Amino acid sequence: MKPPGRILLVTGKLAEPIVKKYGEGCGVFVTPVSVAAFLTPEMIVRYLKKAGVKGGDYDLILIPGLVRGSAQLIEDEIGIPAFKGPRNAMDLPVVLRAIKEGFKLSKERPADDLFSINGLNRVEDIRNKTKNRRYIEKALKKPWNVLIGNLPAGRDFPARILGEVVDAPRLGVEKTVEKALYYLREGADIIDIGMVAGETNLDFIELIPEIRERLREEGFNVPISFDSLNTEEIEKALSYADLFLSVDEGNLEGLVTEKPVVLIPTNQKRGFFPVRPSERVEFLENLRERALDLGYGTVIPDLILEQVPHLARSLTAFHLYRERNPDDVLLAGVGNVVELYDADSVGMNALLAGIAKELSINLLLTTETSAKARGSLRELRQAIDMNLFEAPKDLGFDLLLLKEKRAADWRFKPAEEIIAAEEKPVELEPVYFRIWVEDGKIWVNAHRGTEAVLTIVGDDPNAIIDTILERFEISPRHAFYLGRELERAYTALKLRRSYVQEVELFPDFYSQNQKEK
């Protein structure tokens, strides 16, 4: 698309001030419709023709992103190229700047969707390049890349995620496969079978081939890693897994294998762990040399990423090791940092992935054991994708889930009469409703007295409230209450939070000081 000079922005009456504010330098055509989202291409054609707009008057027409239907009709009828702009007028400066830089808009999709699609397509291009057979063969000749099962990893590949199935023997095959499939669909590259500390479960290890086959049947031919400190278990698993975690000084001599192993700077038998970064690095370097002398094929060091208040010293150890050993493939367990900090996981996973990029840590181990860590695999995958670029900013996709990149300036001129809201008493009604979430759906029981007379299930609050209104006579206030609770349940589902009826989803954190004043 040639960068246009004269652009006409189409909008509704209510959004006129905002469009004029953010569409500086463009012509603004205000239709007689109040809400721009209610416009259709046919209506826009009619209004433009009535106003005498014709081919040659402008180089490009930009219609609101929320308009349903294609802008092609407008181009055909008016004779001016027409495309969809952003959903929100506040994003006009970004879209207009992108147009000048040659960004291709769509006649069917809102411009803000295209930014996300474009960014994700660039990610896919990078990943596809690293899947090319010749690229892999060439990369694996370099010392800073290794092969884990059928998966290449190292400096020339995106960071790989290990999703740990914690205490797999206690879960059994069925639940282990279920958890593994969930991790793979969330973005894991390797499934880590976590054994039970202090136990010996040799029979379960013999079931690893079954787990692998079950994953293949679902389309996931991925490496299996094995996580145990039990020498007997590791020896048993050598024939079944592709990668072995937690090899240390205490079991080093009894587990020699050509398969990749993760070496950690400890001696679990003696309870030894060097806390000072320099000592930790030297200990692990010596251990690595001993492992190679013993005949280990591929050694992947892990300096052990500790939780706060010891995070800084462990990062120092990783940094020091990387400076001294630029070619080694490294692993870090980021899950502990997230699990042992009572804060939202998304920011921590983003930052840890960024640190991993800076230190060229090539394998990241995580899990989703606690409720606060739900979504960590997906968050980590998105963060890794963002770090495929020079800077994780302005990519068209992000990890801004609860915060926003730009504050919305969404307000209108008040009416002449302004009154304060006043709550009225609520009257009891013969039917009441109990709402809960389960299996990715919203469930609603309608009660008369103590008896549940009907259950409604769905994932769209509008569909559920419409169904309720078809079946039951309830007051407008009751309907509003249900709409509010259903939307709260829907938000809980989207954020993978639990939901309890009439309980706020979020703490009253940011407004605390304001209320105290």
Side-chain angles (χ1 to χ4, degrees), residues 135-374:
Y135 178 92
I136 293 172
E137 289 174 353
K138 184 177 179 181
L140 288 176
K141 293 176 182 178
K142 300 172 183 176
W144 52 78
N145 299 308
V146 300
L147 190 65
I148 301 171
N150 59 357
L151 181 73
R155 190 192 306 173
D156 293 324
F157 300 91
R160 306 303 193 184
I161 299 175
L162 290 78
E164 181 185 2
V165 182
V166 177
D167 293 343
R170 292 181 181 175
L171 294 178
V173 170
E174 203 64 38
K175 290 292 184 180
T176 296
V177 169
E178 182 182 316
K179 190 74 170 178
L181 287 172
Y182 164 75
Y183 282 163
L184 291 166
R185 289 165 182 149
E186 292 291 285
D189 302 292
I190 299 171
I191 292 301
D192 181 56
I193 302 296
M195 300 301 283
V196 181
E199 295 184 8
T200 301
N201 290 284
L202 302 182
D203 291 343
F204 181 80
I205 294 170
E206 294 181 353
L207 299 174
I208 290 177
E210 181 183 344
I211 294 170
R212 190 192 295 272
E213 184 58 34
R214 294 276 296 276
L215 297 180
R216 283 176 178 164
E217 289 172 0
E218 294 292 331
F220 295 103
N221 184 19
V222 298
I224 300 291
S225 64
F226 187 79
D227 196 349
S228 173
L229 289 167
N230 185 314
T231 303
E232 194 176 356
E233 287 184 335
I234 300 175
E235 288 176 341
K236 180 80 172 180
L238 287 176
S239 303
Y240 301 116
D242 305 296
L243 173 67
F244 300 89
L245 277 61
S246 304
V247 175
D248 75 349
E249 185 184 48
N251 57 18
L252 183 70
E253 295 188 2
L255 299 170
V256 179
T257 176
E258 283 290 317
K259 291 183 177 181
V261 300
V262 174
L263 203 59
I264 58 176
T266 66
N267 186 320
Q268 297 289 336
K269 291 180 179 179
R270 294 194 291 116
F272 174 74
F273 173 56
V275 295
R276 291 182 58 187
S278 58
E279 293 177 359
R280 194 182 308 187
V281 169
E282 290 174 5
F283 181 82
L284 191 55
E285 286 174 336
N286 292 333
L287 206 58
R288 176 181 176 276
E289 291 306 311
R290 285 176 56 194
L292 294 174
D293 289 342
L294 285 169
Y296 280 86
T298 301
V299 174
I300 300 172
D302 172 9
L303 281 295
I304 301 183
L305 194 61
E306 300 170 88
Q307 75 277 10
V308 174
H310 305 303
L311 179 60
R313 75 183 183 194
S314 56
L315 287 175
T316 301
F318 270 102
H319 185 264
L320 180 59
Y321 188 95
R322 175 52 80 204
E323 282 188 331
R324 293 165 55 146
N325 304 275
D327 292 346
D328 283 7
V329 174
L330 300 182
L331 178 144
V334 299
N336 272 350
V337 179
V338 176
E339 291 274 2
L340 296 173
Y341 205 123
D342 282 348
D344 289 332
S345 61
V346 60
M348 285 189 283
N349 279 317
L351 186 59
L352 290 168
I355 292 170
K357 178 188 178 181
E358 288 191 31
L359 298 177
S360 189
I361 299 173
N362 320 103
L363 297 160
L364 300 177
L365 172 69
T366 194
T367 186
E368 296 185 13
T369 304
S370 68
K372 65 187 176 187
R374 288 176 188 165

Side-chain angles (χ1 to χ4, degrees), residues 116-134:
S116 177
I117 293 169
N118 183 58
L120 294 173
N121 283 342
R122 288 157 66 198
V123 168
E124 197 61 28
D125 288 344
I126 294 170
R127 289 192 172 277
N128 284 338
K129 174 188 172 184
T130 62
K131 293 176 183 176
N132 179 272
R133 182 173 58 84
R134 290 183 180 178

